Amino acid sequence: MKDIVQTSLLSRRWKDLSKILLCSTINLDFDNEFTSKNHTPQQFVATINYYMELHDTKKIKRLQLFLHPEDAYISDAHKWIQLTTTKGVEELHLNFSQGFVDEHGQSINGRRPFQLPPCLFYSKELYLLKLSHCSFIPPSEFTAFGSHQTLSLDRIHISATVLQNLILYCPLLENLKLVTPDFTGDFDLNLKILVTGLRLKNLILIDCVFICHMEISAPNLQSFHYVGELYCEFFFNIPSLVDAFISSMGREYAEPEQEYLQILSDIAHVKILTVCTATLIRASWEEFRNSPIVLQNLQELQLLIEWMDEYYLACMYSFFRVCRFPILQQLFIQLPIRPEANAINGTPNAMEQPLDGAFNHLRMIKINNFKGCMSEIKLVIYFLKNGVNLETLILITPQKSKIDSEAMEVLHKLVSSSPKASLGTQIVLCEYPEENCYLHPTHTRLYEEYEF
């Protein structure tokens, strides 16, 4: 019995100590991992209320919520947000996607989108706001956030006018991410991104399908990622752009007429670029354009290949002729994991010679998901024949590849014996995961979760 009492006393001491530690914490993260625990809605809300009470006298720097509250607990969620805003919260991550179908943001059980409380729009110290799956209806007198540096809006219900004001009138905004906005009642939008404060540095636009006109005038923008269909008219004035990521979300063969190649003309000064198969297909359509697109500063190029066969190989050749890369040094190619696709009708002109000097400065090529099919081997031979200063060619086989050691050796001999423009080229063929390979593209986030 004495031991039991001592254990009980020790437990109470640790409990009191844990309260002290919790009270000194200024970040409250109720994220996906927390939500995945087997809590009933009542337990979940009670737990959050408990932590909020522990921080009643403390400044809360960050609040992260991943949930969609039952209607009966909407007032609790409003209370949590209000409490943190009164405590000088600086970062809010509010994700109300629980109970929604991720692809379209539609409710599967009749829940309504969460309505943000008015207090959120008047927080003075908030500089980072990330919202997902909620309704953004500010008070009538609200125009924009005065202190926000980072704004992420993911599948939110918002009017075009409110969104336009947010983009135009946030004077300190440096990072903006917009994902699949739900413009209720608006299907013909003129979205202009004009930053008079000259602060915007990073812009990510994903699946903004209803936007028909996009104007980006941001002299200090350094990173631009566009993921989705490209039907809209666009005008870019982004002279400081360093890296760009352009992807069609896997819809390239459904809509090859979209202007994925034209956008390269407006950002031809970038140093780092990732494009997908849609750009290669468009290049095959413009094989004999009057003048090539010269990316005069490009040092790193990544190609995301959705399918691979003779047709897409020919599209790749077309891309290397339509575009010029005078100082390109690193080339990354992400091949599909699936086996070689069947050829489709309408094979483009498959001349194999790039423009003169296209690869004069290319030093390294890394090809992921190399399976040794015929079109892939032709691509490797193509680079070996044209890479006059190529130093390293790295071929990575896919995870759980069925290529046995004997086949790997045959592939290595075949590639190694191919004619080379540079006799000093080192060829590395290895299995996934590649060991001791520190060469990775700048763009490792490929937004695959947004593809259909």
Side-chain angles (χ1 to χ4, degrees):
M1 179 65 69
K2 182 178 180 180
D3 291 339
I4 295 177
V5 172
Q6 287 178 339
T7 303
S8 178
L9 289 172
L10 184 61
S11 298
R12 286 200 297 270
R13 289 174 62 189
W14 278 110
K15 184 177 181 181
D16 292 339
L17 179 60
S18 68
K19 282 191 174 184
I20 294 173
L21 292 174
L22 282 171
C23 285
S24 65
T25 303
I26 58 175
N27 295 328
L28 294 178
D29 293 331
F30 307 103
D31 54 13
N32 190 21
E33 182 180 355
F34 176 84
T35 307
S36 64
K37 297 178 181 179
N38 294 323
H39 294 303
T40 65
Q42 294 86 347
Q43 291 172 329
F44 182 82
V45 171
T47 301
I48 297 180
N49 284 334
Y50 172 73
Y51 287 141
M52 290 290 182
E53 289 176 3
L54 289 177
H55 285 273
D56 187 49
T57 61
K58 300 292 182 180
K59 173 184 170 66
I60 300 175
K61 180 179 179 181
R62 180 179 71 222
L63 173 65
Q64 186 172 191
L65 281 177
F66 177 78
L67 78 159
H68 190 295
E70 300 287 346
D71 288 347
Y73 305 120
I74 289 179
S75 60
D76 290 282
H78 283 182
K79 181 180 67 176
W80 302 332
I81 297 173
Q82 183 174 7
L83 176 62
T84 56
T85 55
T86 59
K87 299 297 181 184
V89 67
E90 298 176 8
E91 301 179 21
L92 274 179
H93 305 249
L94 305 178
N95 187 331
F96 300 99
S97 64
Q98 191 181 29
F100 280 83
V101 177
D102 283 344
E103 182 178 353
H104 302 294
Q106 299 299 319
S107 176
I108 61 175
N109 56 6
R111 292 174 176 173
R112 296 171 297 173
F114 180 81
Q115 175 64 54
L116 298 168
C119 60
L120 182 142
F121 300 95
Y122 299 106
S123 179
K124 300 296 185 182
E125 299 181 50
L126 187 64
Y127 72 86
L128 184 149
L129 178 62
K130 294 185 177 182
L131 301 174
S132 179
H133 292 80
C134 59
S135 184
F136 193 97
I137 305 176
S140 57
E141 66 274 13
F142 175 83
T143 302
F145 296 108
S147 59
H148 282 40
Q149 298 175 22
T150 297
L151 182 62
S152 175
L153 306 177
D154 185 350
R155 298 178 177 91
I156 66 169
H157 295 252
I158 191 170
S159 74
T161 301
V162 171
L163 177 61
Q164 184 73 83
N165 288 338
L166 281 176
I167 295 172
L168 287 175
Y169 302 120
C170 290
L172 302 181
L173 192 63
E174 295 183 2
N175 310 291
L176 174 62
K177 180 179 179 180
L178 183 62
V179 181
T180 319
D182 182 3
F183 298 109
T184 304
D186 293 319
F187 297 96
D188 187 22
L189 305 176
N190 291 312
L191 177 61
K192 294 183 180 181
I193 301 176
L194 301 172
V195 184
T196 56
L198 309 179
R199 297 290 294 267
L200 191 64
K201 295 180 180 178
N202 303 290
L203 175 62
I204 300 175
L205 301 177
I206 300 176
D207 198 22
C208 298
V209 64
F210 292 131
I211 297 173
C212 69
H213 181 82
M214 178 170 54
E215 183 175 341
I216 303 174
S217 181
N220 289 315
L221 189 70
Q222 298 177 11
S223 178
F224 176 52
H225 292 199
Y226 187 92
V227 182
E229 297 174 278
L230 193 58
Y231 286 114
C232 63
E233 298 177 353
F234 52 85
F235 171 79
F236 294 153
N237 176 26
I238 41 181
S240 300
L241 194 67
V242 175
D243 81 86
F245 182 104
I246 311 296
S247 173
S248 68
M249 295 177 62
R251 303 174 185 178
E252 51 268 6
Y253 35 179
E255 308 294 346
E257 72 276 8
Q258 298 178 50
E259 294 296 338
Y260 294 105
L261 191 65
Q262 179 59 38
I263 200 172
L264 297 189
S265 299
D266 290 0
I267 59 172
H269 52 285
V270 296
K271 296 181 179 180
I272 300 165
L273 175 65
T274 293
V275 296
C276 71
T277 314
T279 302
L280 310 185
I281 294 175
R282 187 65 189 185
S284 72
W285 286 34
E286 301 189 23
E287 176 74 30
F288 302 105
R289 60 184 289 142
N290 294 330
S291 59
I293 299 174
V294 181
L295 290 94
Q296 65 270 18
N297 300 323
L298 193 66
Q299 300 175 22
E300 177 189 315
L301 173 65
Q302 180 177 206
L303 305 179
L304 307 178
I305 310 302
E306 180 72 14
W307 297 87
M308 188 62 179
D309 58 18
E310 294 292 329
Y311 173 83
Y312 294 102
L313 178 63
C315 291
M316 208 175 304
Y317 293 156
S318 297
F319 175 72
F320 289 129
R321 286 190 297 275
V322 171
C323 299
R324 295 189 180 186
F325 322 98
I327 62 171
L328 181 66
Q329 298 178 17
Q330 294 184 324
L331 173 61
F332 298 89
I333 300 178
Q334 189 79 16
L335 294 174
I337 297 178
R338 63 176 69 88
E340 184 167 315
N342 295 324
I344 64 176
N345 295 328
T347 301
N349 188 358
M351 297 164 49
E352 294 193 5
Q353 290 300 319
L355 292 169
D356 292 339
F359 301 124
N360 281 352
H361 292 269
L362 188 59
R363 297 290 189 269
M364 189 282 300
I365 301 174
K366 181 179 178 182
I367 302 178
N368 282 332
N369 297 325
F370 180 80
K371 300 171 291 299
C373 64
M374 185 55 63
S375 59
E376 294 174 353
I377 292 175
K378 286 183 178 180
L379 179 64
V380 168
I381 294 174
Y382 166 82
F383 287 129
L384 290 175
K385 287 171 59 179
N386 294 287
V388 294
N389 289 303
L390 186 63
E391 297 174 355
T392 307
L393 173 62
I394 304 172
L395 306 174
I396 310 296
T397 61
Q399 188 176 16
K400 298 180 180 180
S401 172
K402 296 182 179 180
I403 303 177
D404 56 32
S405 58
E406 183 177 346
M408 288 278 287
E409 185 177 350
V410 171
L411 276 175
H412 192 273
K413 288 182 178 179
L414 175 62
V415 173
S416 299
S417 61
S418 300
K420 303 178 184 65
S422 174
L423 297 179
T425 302
Q426 178 186 10
I427 300 174
V428 179
L429 179 62
C430 59
E431 297 177 274
Y432 178 95
E434 62 267 33
E435 296 181 0
N436 302 321
C437 183
Y438 57 89
L439 296 170
H440 298 285
T442 300
H443 299 145
T444 56
R445 171 77 186 279
L446 304 182
Y447 305 99
E448 294 167 320
E449 68 271 26
Y450 296 104
E451 295 184 1
F452 57 49

